[in-house]
């Protein structure tokens, strides 16, 4: 397929309206002058071009998107419909004109408190990683208000890379805690590392292996006995909805990824939302703006620290609330149960041919180890070959503690048929690896773009089209 620049012919125009008084064109002061050689194409060519591109792509609407840790569930279209009602509210509108919008903030805060058991939320952060930074900074401000300048944030080695990054940005030193042979944090190593210099432990639960950290309550007690806090990375909340309130097992501060757990299409850099919740003592240190007042007279408190402009990615908040209201408490619990059931169904089917990274039971996702196919093929080959069968591959080479990991999270929105098809393709691919390993080395064969030179793309990226 050609680039849109290659379709360009001088003098073609995308948009004009013919009026009796002559042709109405886009006023020249609205045209962008700084980009030279914008493609000159007709409207019809633009639509056709982008439609073709869109069907070359894979999406959550297309089929199973088992990208472990990312919770790529199907997102009901009614969420978009509800969000579309609010697209023209400007953040600078007077508060008395947007009481309905403010009520959405208030209601979402209330349901997130109910789901987690925490005492307060800020809805401002724009993504999970932004939430982590907000949460760790909140912990820092809380501890410093008590005159405590601590230096360290403990992080298990199974953690997402954003955890050490956020802690470092928030001014702490990230110290890694190894996992034990069961895939859970090594309690003894944790105790050894815990001292008065530790501000917090940042833990994902269930962790990135899909394993519930069984000792979480004990871990929280140990932290609290040293004056440190428990931060939970809530990216895997899809496994726990309606089953447990995280405050009950000792979490002090956490973020949620609304775009994952609460259903907003994500990936490709679209808007997200990472609300941060905290227990009572820490809540006053959450950043603003804080919504105060009664229904009908809601308003933003003036002043206070901000973590971003205005109030967060409002339409993502609307979609999350629409989704939560649509499912209700029972529905959310059922979603979590189905997510876990789907993952375990796939795990059982695949364990005939694949070795699991750990034998510990898993919740909403699980990780396959390279061990069962290492002598014939690689994780990358398997992922590329899945494309030929029409599937988006799982997350690969993460978590880092599993050599050649294939991390699979089907989510609750896949049917049994879809899970069977996906498992069938993976099982066929291991057979192919035995008989025809070359087929895998050169995969994908059926996609518009074949295997990319990924190293070359990283080392010598071409970021701007140049006329040849
Ligand atoms: C996705 C994810 C994050 C980061 O969230 P973003 O919204 O992508 O910034 C952090 N931790 C875990 C475990 C995740 O899966």
């Amino acid at each position: 397929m050609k680039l849109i620049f290659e379709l360009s012919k001088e003098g073609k125009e995308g948009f004009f309206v013919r009026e009796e008084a002559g042709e109405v064109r886009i006023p020249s002061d609205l045209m962008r002058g700084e980009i030279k050689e914008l493609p000159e194409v007709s409207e019809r060519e633009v639509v056709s071009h982008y439609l073709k591109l869109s069907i070359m792509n894979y999406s959550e609407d297309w089929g199973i998107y088992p990208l472990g840790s990312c919770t790529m569930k199907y997102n009901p279209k009614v969420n978009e419909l509800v969000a579309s009602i609010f697209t023209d509210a400007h953040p600078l509108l007077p508060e008395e004109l947007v009481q309905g919008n403010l009520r959405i903030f208030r209601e979402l805060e209330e349901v997130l408190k109910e789901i987690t058991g925490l005492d307060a939320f800020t809805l401002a952060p724009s993504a999970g990683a932004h939430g982590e930074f907000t949460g760790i900074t909140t912990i820092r401000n809380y501890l410093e208000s008590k005159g405590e300048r601590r230096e360290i944030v403990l992080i298990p080695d199974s953690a997402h890379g954003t955890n050490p990054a956020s802690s470092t940005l928030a001014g702490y030193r990230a110290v890694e805690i190894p996992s034990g042979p069961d895939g859970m944090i090594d309690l003894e190593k944790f105790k050894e590392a815990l001292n008065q210099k530790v501000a917090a432990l940042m833990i994902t639960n269930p962790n990135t292996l899909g394993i519930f950290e069984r000792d979480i309550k004990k871990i929280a007690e140990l932290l609290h006995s040293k004056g440190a806090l428990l931060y939970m990375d809530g990216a895997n909340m899809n496994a726990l909805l309606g089953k447990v309130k995280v405050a009950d097992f000792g979490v002090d501060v956490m973020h949620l990824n609304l775009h994952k757990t609460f259903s907003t299409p994500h990936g490709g850099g679209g808007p997200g939302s990472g609300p941060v919740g905290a227990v009572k003592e820490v809540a006053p240190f959450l950043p603003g703006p804080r919504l105060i007042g009664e229904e009908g007279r809601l308003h933003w408190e003036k002043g206070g620290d901000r973590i971003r402009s205005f109030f967060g990615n409002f339409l993502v908040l609307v979609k999350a609330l629409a989704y939560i209201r649509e499912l209700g408490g029972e529905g959310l619990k059922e979603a979590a149960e189905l997510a876990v059931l789907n993952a375990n169904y796939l795990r059982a089917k695949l364990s005939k041919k694949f070795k699991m990274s750990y034998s510990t039971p898993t919740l909403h996702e699980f990780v396959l180890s390279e061990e069962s196919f290492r002598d014939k093929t690689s994780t990358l080959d398997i992922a590329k070959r899945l494309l030929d069968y029409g599937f988006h591959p799982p997350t690969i080479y993460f978590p880092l503690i599993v050599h050649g990991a294939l991390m699979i999270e089907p989510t609750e929105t896949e049917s049994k048929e879809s899970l069977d098809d996906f498992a069938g393709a993976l099982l066929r691919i291991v057979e192919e690896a035995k008989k025809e390993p070359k087929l895998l080395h050169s995969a994908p064969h059926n996609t518009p773009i074949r295997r990319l030179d990924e190293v070359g793309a990283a080392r010598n990226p071409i970021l701007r089209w140049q006329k040849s």
Side-chain angles (χ1 to χ4, degrees):
M1 210 178 134
K2 285 184 173 167
L3 298 175
I4 194 148
F5 293 94
E6 292 164 332
L7 297 175
S8 178
K9 278 235 172 71
E10 209 180 314
K12 282 198 182 184
E13 276 184 273
F15 175 78
F16 64 93
V17 185
R18 216 178 286 281
E19 284 194 351
E20 278 162 17
E23 286 179 5
V24 178
R25 291 170 189 277
I26 299 170
S28 57
D29 60 336
L30 294 180
M31 294 214 213
R32 296 175 65 175
E34 76 278 17
I35 301 176
K36 301 289 172 232
E37 299 181 56
L38 276 172
E40 298 179 65
V41 278
S42 70
E43 176 176 330
R44 197 256 180 284
E45 285 167 325
V46 173
V47 170
S48 170
H49 179 74
Y50 284 104
L51 179 72
K52 283 173 191 157
L53 275 184
S54 75
I55 60 176
M56 285 161 77
N57 208 348
Y58 196 95
S59 65
E60 285 158 332
D61 286 353
W62 190 288
I64 186 171
Y65 210 129
L67 212 47
S69 208
C70 298
T71 314
M72 308 293 275
K73 56 173 85 177
Y74 170 77
N75 304 291
K77 295 294 167 254
V78 68
N79 301 345
E80 300 297 328
L81 184 73
V82 176
S84 70
I85 301 169
F86 296 93
T87 47
D88 53 4
H90 193 279
L92 291 176
L93 276 173
E95 283 163 345
E96 59 271 25
L97 294 183
V98 289
Q99 285 298 309
N101 300 45
L102 297 188
R103 202 175 127 189
I104 287 174
F105 285 97
R106 169 63 61 82
E107 281 193 27
L108 186 59
E109 278 173 20
E110 292 302 318
V111 290
L112 297 184
K113 280 155 66 176
E114 172 79 22
I115 288 167
T116 57
L118 293 168
D119 297 306
F121 265 89
T122 168
L123 305 178
S126 303
H130 196 195
E132 290 169 29
F133 175 74
T134 305
I136 296 294
T137 310
T138 299
I139 288 176
R140 187 189 178 91
N141 290 340
Y142 164 74
L143 289 172
E144 289 187 355
S145 79
K146 302 202 301 177
E148 299 212 30
R149 292 198 160 268
R150 298 192 172 211
E151 292 161 31
I152 295 168
V153 172
L154 302 176
I155 302 175
D157 57 3
S158 59
H160 197 267
T162 50
N163 292 186
S166 313
S167 307
T168 306
L169 277 177
Y172 286 109
R173 185 154 56 85
V175 172
E176 191 174 281
I177 307 291
S179 302
D182 53 7
M184 287 178 259
I185 186 170
D186 185 325
L187 205 56
E188 291 313 310
K189 292 275 165 36
F190 166 68
K191 284 184 198 162
E192 280 167 29
L194 182 59
N195 56 43
Q196 307 284 354
K197 287 184 178 166
V198 173
L201 168 77
M202 205 172 187
I203 199 168
T204 310
N205 200 17
N207 64 29
T208 62
L209 300 161
I211 298 171
F212 187 85
E213 294 280 357
R214 205 176 31 214
D215 294 323
I216 190 74
K217 213 165 168 178
K218 187 150 181 213
I219 289 170
E221 284 163 12
L222 287 165
L223 284 162
H224 294 155
S225 73
K226 290 273 192 291
L229 301 188
L230 178 58
Y231 182 97
M232 181 165 136
D233 176 331
N236 290 341
M237 200 56 197
N238 215 42
L240 302 184
L241 290 174
K243 306 299 282 185
V244 64
K245 295 192 182 197
V246 303
D248 291 346
F249 57 63
V251 169
D252 298 296
V253 181
M254 88 177 295
H255 78 261
L256 293 163
N257 302 58
L258 296 189
H259 45 288
K260 294 180 179 173
T261 315
F262 300 106
S263 200
T264 278
H266 61 288
S273 176
V276 174
V279 290
K280 231 189 334 282
E281 305 75 60
V282 186
F285 300 89
L286 288 171
R290 196 184 305 258
L291 191 61
I292 50 179
E294 299 292 308
E295 204 178 309
R297 281 195 308 253
L298 291 165
H299 60 278
W300 297 111
E301 199 175 47
K302 300 278 177 282
D305 288 342
R306 293 281 189 123
I307 199 74
R308 59 157 286 162
S309 57
F310 297 117
F311 321 109
N313 279 328
F314 181 59
L315 296 184
V316 180
L317 306 181
V318 175
K319 287 180 215 183
L321 185 62
Y323 177 76
I324 291 168
R325 285 271 177 265
E326 195 188 330
L327 267 66
E330 273 307 302
L332 288 177
K333 189 167 143 199
E334 227 172 90
E337 286 170 356
L338 267 177
V340 172
L341 180 65
N342 277 358
N344 277 281
Y345 177 73
L346 261 188
R347 177 179 165 147
K349 284 204 111 170
L350 294 173
S351 57
K352 286 182 209 132
K353 289 277 165 65
F354 287 92
K355 195 171 170 330
M356 296 298 140
S357 59
Y358 292 87
S359 58
T360 316
T362 42
L363 296 180
H364 69 303
E365 66 191 359
F366 60 95
V367 180
L368 304 177
S369 141
E370 200 180 37
E371 237 171 273
S372 35
F373 51 82
R374 186 165 32 207
D375 50 337
K376 296 166 206 87
T377 189
S378 69
T379 293
L380 184 69
D381 285 353
I382 290 188
K384 295 293 184 193
R385 184 64 179 148
L386 268 171
L387 297 170
D388 281 336
Y389 285 96
F391 293 106
H392 196 288
T395 297
I396 55 173
Y397 300 106
F398 177 78
L400 303 176
I401 53 172
V402 179
H403 219 78
L406 277 154
M407 184 196 204
I408 302 179
E409 180 184 10
T411 82
E412 71 279 12
T413 55
E414 291 313 303
S415 64
K416 179 173 173 298
E417 291 73 19
S418 151
L419 300 174
D420 286 339
D421 289 348
F422 178 71
L426 263 176
L427 294 169
R428 265 200 307 276
I429 291 170
V430 236
E431 286 309 305
E432 288 175 349
K434 278 186 216 149
K435 295 182 194 129
E436 271 184 282
K438 277 206 185 104
L439 198 63
L440 271 71
H441 293 326
S442 48
H445 306 274
N446 308 333
T447 49
I449 306 281
R450 303 282 294 274
R451 186 159 316 195
L452 294 167
D453 174 5
E454 291 176 7
V455 175
R459 294 252 166 93
N460 308 302
I462 301 169
L463 301 175
R464 196 165 269 234
W465 179 77
Q466 284 154 345
K467 212 172 201 171
S468 52

